[in-house]
Amino acid sequence: MMIPARLLSPTLLAAVLSLPIHAASAAEVNLYTTREPALIQPLIDSFTSETQIKVNTVFLKDGLLERVKAEGDKSPADVLMTVDIGNLLDLVEGGVTQPIESTVLQETIPANLRSPDNDWFSLSLRDRVLYADKDLDITEFNYEDLADPRWKGKVCIRSGQHPYNTALIAAMISHHGEAATETWLRGVKDNLARKATGGDRDVARDILGGICDIGIANAYYVGRMKNSEPGTDNYKWGEAIKVIRPTFEGSGGGTHVNVSGAAVARHAPNKAEAVQLLEYLVSDKAQQLYAGANYEYPVKAGVELDPVVASFGELQVDAIPVSDIAKNRKLASELVDKVGFNN
């Protein structure tokens, strides 16, 4: 029962009025991510500015699945964000995600880039492209061509066991089967100009250095290199190459992509806010930030690209669902060892 202020003594009334007023708890969402904080902070800041929902970010370089499993049903995690479709599927198979219903996500993200069960969603794309010497007379390429003897001693690539490459090899298995992929992989190894090592930008570096003529790497690195400060090594590497989007023979023109993506945690204490964050990340503004700040390809159609990325031409994604490709990643890894690709 509330006592009218007129019935309180002056002393008691003064005491009541001096009590602090507590505002309702602000909405928040807890994000566990393996993505470098600097890459996603602009997206988080924009989301909070528009929604007033605070994002508490926990960066985990490794061990995301193990961390959430260990926390169990007391886990504060709401959204789990990572790169590589294999890592996303590990979260689902590890039992730390939950399906959600969102018309926004279903209508925005193509079916081959999200879970048919609505328990993970791609947020941006990373196309695996050909870096070629800028003076090389070549305008189109198939991934199968990497094994063509004409490129003997002219191919550079990072470790075959890196997730970027095991995903590509897994895609080759999806298109051509295990036996043909093993033959192809042996052919690529025979064409290597140097040991399969280093990073994607090292492919551009070694093309500039005359070690190789072509190589396979992710497109977004070129955006970073070509937008670097003129005169820096990264800028020189970027200027030394041109980008061609390869396709698989008989695929109808699709280029292999991997993804960055996210899922809602199984025990999310702030599920509504988690869904709101995912929906924001596929909005025009957020997808523009992915394209402009990270040079990744947006999953939403019609979003303006960074000029460097736009210069590569339209991206037609391989039609095989990335989740189907990921089922072959263990076999792909085994083939890398079988042919001694990294030796």
Side-chain angles (χ1 to χ4, degrees), residues 4-234:
R6 61 184 171 80
L7 298 181
L8 296 174
S9 68
T11 301
L12 185 55
L13 178 60
V16 171
L17 293 176
S18 68
L19 291 173
I21 298 175
H22 295 283
S25 297
E28 63 180 11
V29 61
N30 301 312
L31 170 66
Y32 282 23
T33 178
T34 63
R35 301 216 65 183
E36 291 289 344
L39 296 178
I40 61 171
Q41 196 60 48
L43 295 156
I44 291 171
D45 291 342
S46 180
F47 171 72
T48 298
S49 176
E50 291 200 13
T51 65
Q52 304 309 305
I53 297 174
K54 180 184 178 183
V55 180
N56 305 309
T57 304
V58 177
F59 170 63
L60 299 161
K61 185 174 182 180
D62 299 299
L64 174 59
L65 174 60
E66 292 74 15
R67 167 75 173 266
V68 181
K69 273 188 170 183
E71 292 174 344
D73 60 6
K74 303 298 183 184
S75 176
D78 293 309
V79 173
L80 309 176
M81 179 185 292
T82 188
V83 294
D84 180 60
I85 181 58
N87 291 331
L88 277 172
L89 291 181
D90 283 345
L91 295 175
V92 175
E93 293 165 2
V96 298
T97 66
Q98 63 172 298
I100 58 172
E101 292 300 323
S102 169
T103 301
V104 171
L105 294 173
Q106 291 173 353
E107 292 183 350
T108 302
I109 304 172
N112 62 322
L113 298 174
R114 54 181 165 83
S115 163
D117 299 319
N118 297 317
D119 48 17
W120 62 263
F121 301 88
S122 298
L123 300 174
S124 65
L125 305 179
R126 299 169 157 210
D127 43 327
R128 201 87 177 127
V129 300
L130 186 80
Y131 290 7
D133 186 302
K134 66 178 181 179
D135 296 324
L136 200 62
D137 184 18
I138 179 175
T139 58
E140 58 184 31
F141 200 83
N142 290 325
Y143 291 109
E144 292 82 356
D145 294 338
L146 288 168
D148 190 320
R150 69 172 288 205
W151 299 112
K152 189 171 182 62
K154 298 179 179 180
V155 177
C156 285
I157 196 169
R158 72 191 307 165
S159 168
Q161 290 293 5
H162 191 279
Y164 295 162
N165 283 335
T166 53
L168 174 60
I169 297 164
M172 188 67 70
I173 294 171
S174 294
H175 281 278
H176 300 302
E178 178 183 353
T181 299
E182 179 181 338
T183 299
W184 170 78
L185 199 57
R186 291 185 185 280
V188 179
K189 175 179 168 57
D190 288 343
N191 285 346
L192 294 181
R194 57 158 171 77
K195 188 175 180 179
T197 189
D200 280 4
R201 278 176 288 193
D202 293 335
V203 173
R205 178 200 66 189
D206 290 347
I207 289 175
L208 174 62
I211 296 173
C212 44
D213 289 346
I214 62 172
I216 291 291
N218 281 356
Y220 71 89
Y221 285 111
V222 184
R224 294 182 185 179
M225 290 187 290
K226 287 184 177 288
N227 282 294
S228 296
E229 186 71 25
T232 62
D233 285 342
N234 275 288

Side-chain angles (χ1 to χ4, degrees), residues 269-327:
N270 305 292
K271 181 178 178 180
E273 289 79 9
V275 173
Q276 194 170 348
L277 175 58
L278 292 188
E279 291 179 343
Y280 180 78
L281 292 175
V282 297
S283 67
D284 286 343
K285 185 172 183 179
Q287 288 286 291
Q288 183 67 62
L289 286 171
Y290 270 116
N294 297 341
Y295 310 109
E296 293 174 281
Y297 210 93
V299 294
K300 185 172 187 177
V303 173
E304 183 179 357
L305 303 174
D306 172 81
V308 171
V309 177
S311 71
F312 305 157
E314 182 180 359
L315 172 62
Q316 184 176 340
V317 176
D318 184 10
I320 296 179
V322 290
S323 56
D324 288 351
I325 290 171
K327 294 174 184 177

